[in-house]
Amino acid sequence: MKKMNLMAGILIASATMAGTSVTANAAMPQNVNIKSNNVKVIRIGQGCDLDSVLSQLKNCLPGISFPQFQQPDAENSCPEIPQIELPTPSLPSPELPEQGTPSPELPELEIPTPELPEQENPSPEVPEQENLTYVEQVVQLVNAERAKEGLAPLTLNIKVSAAAQVRAKEIVTSFSHTRPDGSSFATALKEQNINYRRAGENIAWGQKSPQEVVSAWMNSSGHRANIMNENFTSIGVGYHRQNGVNYWCQLFTS
């Protein structure tokens, strides 16, 4: 500091030269004024500069040298704290794709379609419930032939048709009016609890349609005789297909 306050203490400097004494006294906050013949009074006020005090002392006491006080520089009174430079962490900047860059094209995957082996579809057997169409056609064709001769139409009987269906399956192994067990075809009617006075049977195999089988029967005298028998009143038709071959049966009752 370039100014020095003299506080709560007493600074006394005395020297004896040629009968003159000098006293410097500083107390806060008053100035000292001493009256004496042999005393020179120096006024020191609060906030007085130390350099001015020393200058006055030199004037009062010639020939006395005072040490030069080197006052600390106010700017350098505080130790300088070195400035620490903290490194700024450098974070890697993410690389952004350039705009306008097209996305990579993914190759199209071709999924092969599995090839299924070709299946040989043999001619399925016509279900019996679908045979009614053939049965009805045969009955209509028979009644049409009877009508040409002025005979009454035959009535389709469900039980007689059930017996005819059994016989159509049996003639696959034994193409005869005798059943595989050696009995007469008429026993098939009895198995269906059918009461009858007369019975007749027409059988055939290989024909592909009702028209074809009825035509074959009409061209055979024995089969034609059953179709044109005026004593028959009911008819039943059986149709069975096995191994691609059609088997037919007609049963007549009265």
PDB file of all heavy atoms in Angstrom, residues 146-159:
ATOM      1  N   ARG A 146     -92.505 -97.995 -71.435  1.00  0.00           N
ATOM      2  CA  ARG A 146     -93.792 -98.611 -71.114  1.00  0.00           C
ATOM      3  C   ARG A 146     -94.950 -97.778 -71.681  1.00  0.00           C
ATOM      4  O   ARG A 146     -95.984 -98.319 -72.119  1.00  0.00           O
ATOM      5  CB  ARG A 146     -93.950 -98.784 -69.604  1.00  0.00           C
ATOM      6  CG  ARG A 146     -93.093 -99.897 -69.029  1.00  0.00           C
ATOM      7  CD  ARG A 146     -93.153 -99.911 -67.499  1.00  0.00           C
ATOM      8  NE  ARG A 146     -94.497-100.239 -67.032  1.00  0.00           N
ATOM      9  CZ  ARG A 146     -94.954-101.474 -66.800  1.00  0.00           C
ATOM     10  NH1 ARG A 146     -94.156-102.520 -66.997  1.00  0.00           N
ATOM     11  NH2 ARG A 146     -96.188-101.685 -66.367  1.00  0.00           N
ATOM     12  N   ALA A 147     -94.746 -96.471 -71.654  1.00  0.00           N
ATOM     13  CA  ALA A 147     -95.814 -95.615 -72.154  1.00  0.00           C
ATOM     14  C   ALA A 147     -96.027 -95.822 -73.649  1.00  0.00           C
ATOM     15  O   ALA A 147     -97.160 -95.678 -74.163  1.00  0.00           O
ATOM     16  CB  ALA A 147     -95.478 -94.159 -71.872  1.00  0.00           C
ATOM     17  N   LYS A 148     -94.967 -96.162 -74.359  1.00  0.00           N
ATOM     18  CA  LYS A 148     -95.105 -96.408 -75.792  1.00  0.00           C
ATOM     19  C   LYS A 148     -96.025 -97.612 -76.053  1.00  0.00           C
ATOM     20  O   LYS A 148     -96.675 -97.673 -77.108  1.00  0.00           O
ATOM     21  CB  LYS A 148     -93.740 -96.675 -76.398  1.00  0.00           C
ATOM     22  CG  LYS A 148     -92.816 -95.471 -76.381  1.00  0.00           C
ATOM     23  CD  LYS A 148     -91.444 -95.837 -76.945  1.00  0.00           C
ATOM     24  CE  LYS A 148     -90.471 -94.658 -76.882  1.00  0.00           C
ATOM     25  NZ  LYS A 148     -89.119 -95.031 -77.417  1.00  0.00           N
ATOM     26  N   GLU A 149     -96.059 -98.522 -75.126  1.00  0.00           N
ATOM     27  CA  GLU A 149     -96.885 -99.712 -75.270  1.00  0.00           C
ATOM     28  C   GLU A 149     -98.221 -99.571 -74.539  1.00  0.00           C
ATOM     29  O   GLU A 149     -99.013-100.523 -74.485  1.00  0.00           O
ATOM     30  CB  GLU A 149     -96.152-100.943 -74.738  1.00  0.00           C
ATOM     31  CG  GLU A 149     -94.846-101.213 -75.436  1.00  0.00           C
ATOM     32  CD  GLU A 149     -95.028-101.616 -76.882  1.00  0.00           C
ATOM     33  OE1 GLU A 149     -96.097-102.189 -77.214  1.00  0.00           O
ATOM     34  OE2 GLU A 149     -94.113-101.354 -77.693  1.00  0.00           O
ATOM     35  N   GLY A 150     -98.475 -98.401 -73.972  1.00  0.00           N
ATOM     36  CA  GLY A 150     -99.738 -98.164 -73.274  1.00  0.00           C
ATOM     37  C   GLY A 150     -99.780 -98.798 -71.915  1.00  0.00           C
ATOM     38  O   GLY A 150    -100.880 -99.002 -71.374  1.00  0.00           O
ATOM     39  N   LEU A 151     -98.592 -99.093 -71.294  1.00  0.00           N
ATOM     40  CA  LEU A 151     -98.567 -99.710 -69.980  1.00  0.00           C
ATOM     41  C   LEU A 151     -98.479 -98.649 -68.890  1.00  0.00           C
ATOM     42  O   LEU A 151     -97.964 -97.538 -69.098  1.00  0.00           O
ATOM     43  CB  LEU A 151     -97.389-100.664 -69.872  1.00  0.00           C
ATOM     44  CG  LEU A 151     -97.372-101.833 -70.864  1.00  0.00           C
ATOM     45  CD1 LEU A 151     -96.067-102.628 -70.730  1.00  0.00           C
ATOM     46  CD2 LEU A 151     -98.578-102.741 -70.651  1.00  0.00           C
ATOM     47  N   ALA A 152     -98.958 -98.979 -67.692  1.00  0.00           N
ATOM     48  CA  ALA A 152     -98.931 -98.054 -66.554  1.00  0.00           C
ATOM     49  C   ALA A 152     -97.483 -97.864 -66.088  1.00  0.00           C
ATOM     50  O   ALA A 152     -96.665 -98.802 -66.141  1.00  0.00           O
ATOM     51  CB  ALA A 152     -99.791 -98.605 -65.419  1.00  0.00           C
ATOM     52  N   PRO A 153     -97.144 -96.689 -65.598  1.00  0.00           N
ATOM     53  CA  PRO A 153     -95.772 -96.466 -65.110  1.00  0.00           C
ATOM     54  C   PRO A 153     -95.514 -97.234 -63.822  1.00  0.00           C
ATOM     55  O   PRO A 153     -96.430 -97.499 -63.040  1.00  0.00           O
ATOM     56  CB  PRO A 153     -95.728 -94.960 -64.866  1.00  0.00           C
ATOM     57  CG  PRO A 153     -97.145 -94.578 -64.615  1.00  0.00           C
ATOM     58  CD  PRO A 153     -97.996 -95.477 -65.459  1.00  0.00           C
ATOM     59  N   LEU A 154     -94.253 -97.580 -63.635  1.00  0.00           N
ATOM     60  CA  LEU A 154     -93.832 -98.263 -62.411  1.00  0.00           C
ATOM     61  C   LEU A 154     -93.524 -97.216 -61.329  1.00  0.00           C
ATOM     62  O   LEU A 154     -93.031 -96.109 -61.599  1.00  0.00           O
ATOM     63  CB  LEU A 154     -92.600 -99.116 -62.674  1.00  0.00           C
ATOM     64  CG  LEU A 154     -92.771-100.217 -63.717  1.00  0.00           C
ATOM     65  CD1 LEU A 154     -91.439-100.926 -63.968  1.00  0.00           C
ATOM     66  CD2 LEU A 154     -93.838-101.228 -63.275  1.00  0.00           C
ATOM     67  N   THR A 155     -93.801 -97.595 -60.086  1.00  0.00           N
ATOM     68  CA  THR A 155     -93.552 -96.703 -58.953  1.00  0.00           C
ATOM     69  C   THR A 155     -92.186 -97.019 -58.353  1.00  0.00           C
ATOM     70  O   THR A 155     -91.877 -98.185 -58.091  1.00  0.00           O
ATOM     71  CB  THR A 155     -94.644 -96.875 -57.878  1.00  0.00           C
ATOM     72  OG1 THR A 155     -95.938 -96.607 -58.465  1.00  0.00           O
ATOM     73  CG2 THR A 155     -94.391 -95.949 -56.708  1.00  0.00           C
ATOM     74  N   LEU A 156     -91.411 -95.994 -58.138  1.00  0.00           N
ATOM     75  CA  LEU A 156     -90.095 -96.170 -57.525  1.00  0.00           C
ATOM     76  C   LEU A 156     -90.278 -96.471 -56.043  1.00  0.00           C
ATOM     77  O   LEU A 156     -90.876 -95.687 -55.314  1.00  0.00           O
ATOM     78  CB  LEU A 156     -89.235 -94.914 -57.728  1.00  0.00           C
ATOM     79  CG  LEU A 156     -87.856 -94.925 -57.084  1.00  0.00           C
ATOM     80  CD1 LEU A 156     -86.993 -96.046 -57.673  1.00  0.00           C
ATOM     81  CD2 LEU A 156     -87.158 -93.572 -57.270  1.00  0.00           C
ATOM     82  N   ASN A 157     -89.761 -97.614 -55.624  1.00  0.00           N
ATOM     83  CA  ASN A 157     -89.864 -98.046 -54.232  1.00  0.00           C
ATOM     84  C   ASN A 157     -88.480 -97.961 -53.583  1.00  0.00           C
ATOM     85  O   ASN A 157     -87.511 -98.538 -54.090  1.00  0.00           O
ATOM     86  CB  ASN A 157     -90.412 -99.481 -54.166  1.00  0.00           C
ATOM     87  CG  ASN A 157     -90.702 -99.915 -52.757  1.00  0.00           C
ATOM     88  OD1 ASN A 157     -89.834 -99.951 -51.886  1.00  0.00           O
ATOM     89  ND2 ASN A 157     -91.960-100.290 -52.519  1.00  0.00           N
ATOM     90  N   ILE A 158     -88.402 -97.279 -52.452  1.00  0.00           N
ATOM     91  CA  ILE A 158     -87.095 -97.060 -51.815  1.00  0.00           C
ATOM     92  C   ILE A 158     -86.517 -98.366 -51.313  1.00  0.00           C
ATOM     93  O   ILE A 158     -85.306 -98.620 -51.476  1.00  0.00           O
ATOM     94  CB  ILE A 158     -87.234 -96.034 -50.665  1.00  0.00           C
ATOM     95  CG1 ILE A 158     -87.662 -94.663 -51.209  1.00  0.00           C
ATOM     96  CG2 ILE A 158     -85.910 -95.896 -49.900  1.00  0.00           C
ATOM     97  CD1 ILE A 158     -87.895 -93.619 -50.138  1.00  0.00           C
ATOM     98  N   LYS A 159     -87.323 -99.218 -50.711  1.00  0.00           N
ATOM     99  CA  LYS A 159     -86.809-100.486 -50.187  1.00  0.00           C
ATOM    100  C   LYS A 159     -86.342-101.399 -51.321  1.00  0.00           C
ATOM    101  O   LYS A 159     -85.327-102.084 -51.191  1.00  0.00           O
ATOM    102  CB  LYS A 159     -87.876-101.193 -49.361  1.00  0.00           C
ATOM    103  CG  LYS A 159     -88.154-100.524 -48.026  1.00  0.00           C
ATOM    104  CD  LYS A 159     -89.142-101.368 -47.209  1.00  0.00           C
ATOM    105  CE  LYS A 159     -89.379-100.760 -45.834  1.00  0.00           C
ATOM    106  NZ  LYS A 159     -90.304-101.586 -45.026  1.00  0.00           N
TER     107      LYS A 159
END
